[in-house]
Amino acid sequence: MNIFLLLAIALLIIILLLRKKLQIGTCMLFGGLFIWLVRSSDPADLMTALVSTFSQYRTYDIILALYFVMCLEIELRMSGALTDMVKALRRIFSSVKVLLATMPAFLGLLPSVGGARFSAPIVEELSEDLSITAAHKAAINFWFRHLFEFSSPIIPGMIMACSIAGVTFGDFLRHLSWVTVLAFSVGWFVLIRPIKIKGEAKLKETAAEIKHENNGLIIAIGSIVSIFSIVVLGGFNASTATAIVVTAMFFVLMIVRRFVSAKDIFIGAFDWKMVVNIACILYFVEMLTVTDVLHEIVAAFQNSPLSVPVIIACVSLIIGILTGMSQGHVAIVMPIVAAMGTGNLDLAGVAMAFGVAGQMLTPTHFCLIITIDYFKTDIFSTLKPVLICEIIILTIFSIYSWLTWSSTF
């Protein structure tokens, strides 16, 4: 069967099952099994993919990072620090719209899949008095969390991209950082601008209440800054850094008389459905690898008469959709970029922009799963405005790249 027809049928199966309200992990598992059945049907390949999934470090890092972020969210929510932080921020800043966009973006600086779970309750708190749907809230949380995919030197995908493509961090950031500004602007236009803010009277707060809210603000922001510092300065991975902060925060909350029990934190944070969903998605990606689907897609485009930039864009978009991870499309596409022109910023930029677009439009993206699970909405309603944003960005990016292209292919 033609590789693109195979993928189209597999994606159709996934979409139909999602429409039936099945868990995303189950849908991805059936899609992967269909691909395996057509491409291989050898039970040994299923076992190889399973062993690979659970023998890789990233599987446990992703699950543990999400678990400890949920622990931290419980600490801040049950201690009242999260609510106090939102109240303090709304008192300090006059625009709720600005906070809705900037808070997920700020938390997006953390290179952790679980960060989407932490920014979600903040978006929920900020939008409590706004007449917007759960899907709209989910889209805001999901979109603004990923603004720095093009401009943060600690995003794993950026680190891998620079290393493989043979470009420096500084050059690559200067080449692509404008896309972050574009993504913020487009997200604001599509997601934030339409929100109607009713005039609300300022609450009269006592000095004691303001002090208490400021205390919650310091605790909440301090926890995020601490994780960021441990990752950047200490060189720890996201799951370890978050575990350290969660443990420290348990005692901090006790000292400042905002105690939350260990049982509520560490047992309450466990979500077996989320673990199963993540495991199934990672298994799906491994099945694509053992059945050589990913490599055949690349080979099909390499043998096509399309120009190199178009090939890179198409492959990056498709691989981004299939893997849902920046490391996934970078690891597969960037070696092609390097082979076609080591150090070529234009090609590397195209690969990154279209790869990120792919990972933003797929149910294999962990942040999307976490977000729709928190807001109890569906994937299609959430992705509709995201699709509009990506169409605008890719159109502008393509026109700009065509006008400024420095190489001839």
Side-chain angles (χ1 to χ4, degrees):
M1 183 183 294
N2 178 275
I3 189 65
F4 296 107
L5 177 60
L6 173 66
L7 290 177
I9 296 175
L11 290 174
L12 180 61
I13 291 173
I14 293 171
I15 291 171
L16 290 176
L17 291 177
L18 284 171
R19 289 288 190 186
K20 297 292 184 181
K21 307 298 182 182
L22 270 68
Q23 288 286 322
I24 180 64
T26 303
C27 300
M28 300 305 300
L29 182 61
F30 275 105
L33 288 174
F34 170 76
I35 292 174
W36 164 79
L37 189 63
V38 174
R39 292 280 298 181
S40 168
S41 70
D42 184 354
D45 285 339
L46 286 180
M47 184 56 63
T48 299
L50 185 66
V51 171
S52 179
T53 299
F54 289 99
S55 62
Q56 291 190 54
Y57 168 79
R58 76 172 183 188
T59 301
Y60 303 98
D61 187 43
I62 289 171
I63 292 173
L64 288 174
L66 174 59
Y67 171 72
F68 285 117
V69 167
M70 292 175 74
C71 287
L72 183 59
E73 187 267 330
I74 289 173
E75 287 179 322
L76 297 180
R77 175 168 47 81
M78 296 189 70
S79 68
L82 191 63
T83 300
D84 287 337
M85 179 192 72
V86 172
K87 288 181 179 178
L89 289 173
R90 295 185 73 163
R91 187 181 68 249
I92 296 170
F93 299 98
S94 58
S95 175
V96 174
K97 287 186 175 183
V98 171
L99 290 174
L100 275 173
T102 56
M103 286 308 296
F106 168 68
L107 295 174
L109 289 169
L110 287 174
S112 167
V113 64
R117 181 60 174 76
F118 187 68
S119 58
I122 296 177
V123 170
E124 182 68 52
E125 286 274 354
L126 287 168
S127 59
E128 186 177 13
D129 299 324
L130 304 179
S131 298
I132 58 177
T133 64
H136 195 161
K137 297 175 187 178
I140 289 172
N141 185 62
F142 181 57
W143 180 261
F144 286 98
R145 170 167 168 72
H146 295 90
L147 295 180
F148 294 102
E149 291 284 337
F150 311 98
S151 55
S152 174
I154 64 170
I155 297 294
M158 284 291 288
I159 296 172
M160 288 178 61
C162 292
S163 175
I164 297 172
V167 297
T168 65
F169 284 116
D171 288 342
F172 203 37
L173 291 178
R174 281 190 292 271
H175 184 71
L176 276 185
S177 57
W178 70 275
V179 184
T180 289
V181 179
L182 176 63
F184 180 87
S185 302
V186 172
W188 183 277
F189 179 79
V190 175
L191 293 167
I192 303 297
R193 184 189 58 84
I195 298 175
K196 305 297 182 183
I197 304 290
K198 298 178 181 178
E200 47 184 335
K202 289 187 176 181
L203 296 175
K204 293 183 178 180
E205 297 176 301
T206 65
E209 288 173 331
I210 293 175
K211 181 179 179 180
H212 193 264
E213 290 169 4
N214 288 340
N215 174 267
L217 174 65
I218 293 171
I219 291 173
I221 297 295
S223 64
I224 301 303
V225 173
S226 297
I227 295 173
F228 188 84
S229 300
I230 293 172
V231 170
V232 176
L233 302 178
F236 289 85
N237 57 39
S239 58
T240 303
T242 312
I244 292 171
V245 172
V246 165
T247 304
M249 191 60 63
F250 176 79
F251 297 102
V252 169
L253 293 175
M254 188 184 304
I255 293 171
V256 299
R257 298 180 181 180
R258 289 176 178 261
F259 178 73
V260 180
S261 74
K263 179 181 178 181
D264 288 334
I265 297 169
F266 296 105
I267 295 180
F270 183 75
D271 184 348
W272 69 268
K273 288 184 179 179
M274 188 65 66
V275 173
V276 171
N277 283 335
I278 291 173
C280 286
I281 289 172
L282 290 173
Y283 186 44
F284 170 81
V285 174
E286 287 302 317
M287 278 197 279
L288 294 178
T289 302
V290 299
T291 55
D292 287 328
V293 167
L294 298 179
H295 294 297
E296 188 167 328
I297 293 170
V298 173
F301 276 107
Q302 285 180 316
N303 295 326
S304 73
L306 299 173
S307 65
V308 171
V310 174
I311 291 173
I312 294 298
C314 292
V315 173
S316 297
L317 183 67
I318 293 175
I319 300 300
I321 290 173
L322 291 175
T323 62
M325 297 180 289
S326 60
Q327 299 99 311
H329 65 80
V330 166
I332 294 169
V333 180
M334 281 301 175
I336 303 174
V337 171
M340 292 180 173
T342 301
N344 189 303
L345 287 172
D346 291 318
L347 277 181
V350 167
M352 202 68 185
F354 279 83
V356 169
Q359 76 181 58
M360 291 294 289
L361 298 171
T362 175
T364 61
H365 192 151
F366 298 126
C367 289
L368 178 62
I369 300 165
I370 294 165
T371 299
I372 62 176
D373 177 73
Y374 180 86
F375 288 102
K376 300 297 183 272
T377 184
D378 68 276
I379 190 170
F380 303 101
S381 300
T382 302
L383 281 184
K384 183 178 178 180
V386 175
L387 175 61
I388 295 172
C389 289
E390 285 297 350
I391 290 174
I392 296 172
I393 287 176
L394 291 182
T395 300
I396 295 174
F397 180 85
S398 298
I399 294 172
Y400 175 83
S401 296
W402 181 72
L403 293 174
T404 62
W405 201 263
S406 60
S407 302
T408 302
F409 288 97

